[in-house]
Amino acid sequence: MRPTAVSLLLLAACAGRSTVGPVPAGGRLDLVIEGGRIVDGTGAPWFQGDLGIRDGRIAVITPAGLLRNLAATERIDARGMVVAPGFIDIQSHSRDAFLEGDSRIVSKVTQGITTEIMGEGATNAPQNEKTGGVAAGGATPRHDFSGPRGFARWLEAMAGRGVSTNIGSFLGATTVRMYAKGMAQGAPTPAELDSMRMVVRNAMEDGAFGIASALIYPPGNYATTEELIELARAMAPYGGVYITHMRSEADAWLEAIDEALRIGREGGVPVEIFHLKAGGRRNWDKTAAALAKIDSARAAGQDVQANMYAYVAGGTGLSACLPPWASADGKLFENLRDPATRARIRNEMDREQSDWENLCQLATPDGVLVLGLRKPEHQPWVGKKLGEIATAMGKEPQEAIMDLLVAEEQRIGTVFFMMSEANVATKMRQPWIKFGTDAGGVDPDSARGLVHPRAYGNYPRVLGKYVREDRVLTLEEAVRKASSAVATRLSIHDRGVLKPGLWADVVVFDPSTVSDRATFEQPHQVSVGIRDVFVNGVAVVRNGKHTGAKPGRVVRGPGAGLRTKD
């Protein structure tokens, strides 16, 4: 005899499972995932259980076996597997893939990611003639995200193409600045600052999660602390978070943390630090002081947290090895071709200093892996260290950098090896840490060129290396930092944990085999052990393969739809 909904609830209540919910009216479920180790995302210990899904949401969670006889359209045997909430990537760069490319983002969903949060530094909206989103002369580009609701139209345009994950975004602080000042240096005028506040308010009402700055890249690093405080004040009434790639992650790392704390304190908003790390061997021993600074601020009542990826190398453009002023007014390549200006740039590249972040100097030429070369004559150097390339060119590394940038006329994607493995593990243990990839989604079957392996392997690396092998984290804590910790931080209340009534973003993985396969030399390798991934109850990965489904939705911040007084 089939158990009734009432008997199911009574049985489950006796088992003491607070996650149990009522079976939907009519009794039939769309999907039952049976017999897995349920790690619900809260940090609570796993238990053996069944999970039922109906109409895109989690309908019921019971001890194993209680859904055995309940009618279901499909059943999945999860014995020996972990059933967990889908991972929320707090630092995604998939916006180009969502807008123009392969919106399946295969490399991301196959590592268990079900929600992508974008916006570090720059966003595609809002646009005007100064942001580069609208062509010179006022011509309309392929996508027009101008006007007061431009940010909302951008989110809707991505979702409208069909996306395999849920999507949301911070508002890029660089975009806000460019909206008012373009690529110009200098503090904003009162009128420009009013324009920037308007942009912030509109985006927050459209669902931005807050403001995201990137303060080592021009023109983002032209922003003053006071300017960022004013932007924070503008978003504070909407519950936004100030999240930052700080002004320094190396020689002035501790001072940069102080600046971030000041912005949050005076702006009246929480602070989140992107990819917390100590760059360069000479800065590794600052980690204890940095962690103590954050702990001290929290103990004093300031809301500050951070996130990280699971690698000792970061990735950005080779242009980050040049002083920021060289890119002012969009004249980087013009400046590099001018002998006098080039000599000035070279002189600054040679100096040890802390007023800008010279990543090539911090990593050293043998720690700089050049990936993003496009010209045919440069292809033999793709995946080579800067030191090797400079030797082959018969030039000093500084000259090789400038020549490559001029020849390619692009930032040149590059990986910088700057962190220590011991520090990665230490940061991972902090209770206020979360995980993010700092990468965009890639299709391994059509990808060209090299990318950072975190685009394929960040979360499986955490689960395989740092949980199973090195035992830096428990399974439950790793899942929490990949799911509910991010959802709570961003006020996403209907995702991030396994609980009846919430959207069914679910990942099923093998804890004994889950692992990253992508390497710096051969990055286009999908991770293993992530068997099934569901987004809004729809399977996007089955048996490790993308299904082609695109059920993703837009997720918005707590200020969405709110209208405040100026």
Side-chain angles (χ1 to χ4, degrees), residues 89 92-94 105-113 116 437 439-441 455:
D89 185 356
S92 165
H93 293 292
S94 296
I105 58 168
V106 174
S107 72
K108 303 300 275 302
V109 295
T110 53
Q111 55 176 299
I113 295 168
E116 295 263 273
T437 66

Side-chain angles (χ1 to χ4, degrees), residues 111-415:
Q111 55 176 299
I113 295 168
T114 58
T115 300
E116 295 263 273
I117 306 298
M118 298 162 282
E120 183 201 359
T123 41
N124 294 62
Q127 297 172 342
N128 67 2
E129 69 283 354
K130 296 179 181 178
T131 64
V134 177
T140 302
R142 182 170 178 178
H143 299 281
D144 180 10
F145 303 132
S146 59
R149 302 275 74 88
F151 194 88
R153 288 205 306 278
W154 170 52
L155 295 176
E156 291 155 5
M158 290 187 287
R161 290 188 68 227
V163 291
S164 288
T165 63
N166 304 305
I167 58 173
S169 185
F170 288 91
L171 170 65
T174 298
T175 302
V176 177
R177 182 179 172 86
M178 290 184 70
Y179 193 95
K181 292 188 70 67
M183 288 290 291
Q185 292 180 290
T189 65
E192 289 170 339
L193 197 54
D194 280 344
S195 177
M196 295 162 76
R197 292 189 188 101
M198 174 203 64
V199 166
V200 170
R201 288 193 295 268
N202 287 342
M204 295 303 296
E205 292 169 2
D206 286 347
F209 288 101
I211 296 171
S213 65
L215 301 181
I216 74 166
Y217 308 114
N221 61 353
Y222 301 160
T224 65
T225 305
E226 291 72 23
E227 172 185 331
L228 294 168
I229 290 170
E230 288 303 312
L231 300 188
R233 286 172 175 160
M235 74 163 167
Y238 300 91
V241 174
Y242 174 68
I243 188 167
T244 178
H245 178 153
M246 297 185 300
R247 211 173 293 272
S248 173
E249 297 175 325
D251 295 343
W253 188 28
L254 301 180
E255 293 84 350
I257 294 175
D258 288 336
E259 181 191 35
L261 292 174
R262 181 188 165 198
I263 292 167
R265 191 168 54 248
E266 297 186 23
V269 296
V271 174
E272 179 80 17
I273 299 172
F274 276 130
H275 45 56
L276 185 71
K277 59 178 177 280
R281 182 178 294 272
R282 66 185 183 235
N283 295 300
W284 289 355
D285 62 0
K286 295 178 180 177
T287 296
L291 300 182
K293 189 179 287 287
I294 293 171
D295 283 336
S296 178
R298 290 183 58 79
Q302 182 167 5
D303 184 355
V304 54
Q305 301 180 33
N307 54 76
M308 64 179 292
Y309 46 76
Y311 296 85
V312 296
T316 187
L318 190 62
S319 54
C321 300
L322 275 60
W325 62 261
S327 296
D329 301 316
K331 295 182 178 180
L332 174 62
F333 305 115
E334 179 181 336
N335 287 335
L336 287 173
R337 291 187 180 98
D338 177 71
T341 309
R342 178 174 173 133
R344 181 186 167 199
I345 293 170
R346 168 62 193 269
N347 183 56
E348 290 204 23
M349 292 172 72
D350 289 341
R351 289 204 315 260
E352 282 199 15
Q353 38 63 53
S354 59
D355 59 341
W356 64 280
E357 203 96 306
N358 187 338
L359 299 188
C360 285
Q361 188 182 90
L362 290 164
T364 76
D366 291 333
V368 178
L369 186 69
V370 180
L371 305 181
L373 298 170
R374 297 173 183 166
K375 291 204 167 183
E377 61 267 30
H378 296 156
Q379 293 313 295
W381 296 334
V382 173
K384 301 292 186 183
K385 299 291 181 64
L386 176 61
E388 297 177 76
I389 296 172
T391 298
M393 294 175 72
K395 299 176 180 178
E396 293 182 349
Q398 297 90 332
E399 296 296 328
I401 292 167
M402 292 188 286
D403 285 348
L404 285 172
L405 289 169
V406 168
E408 291 274 330
E409 289 198 333
Q410 51 115 354
R411 62 195 291 269
I412 306 179
T414 303
V415 167

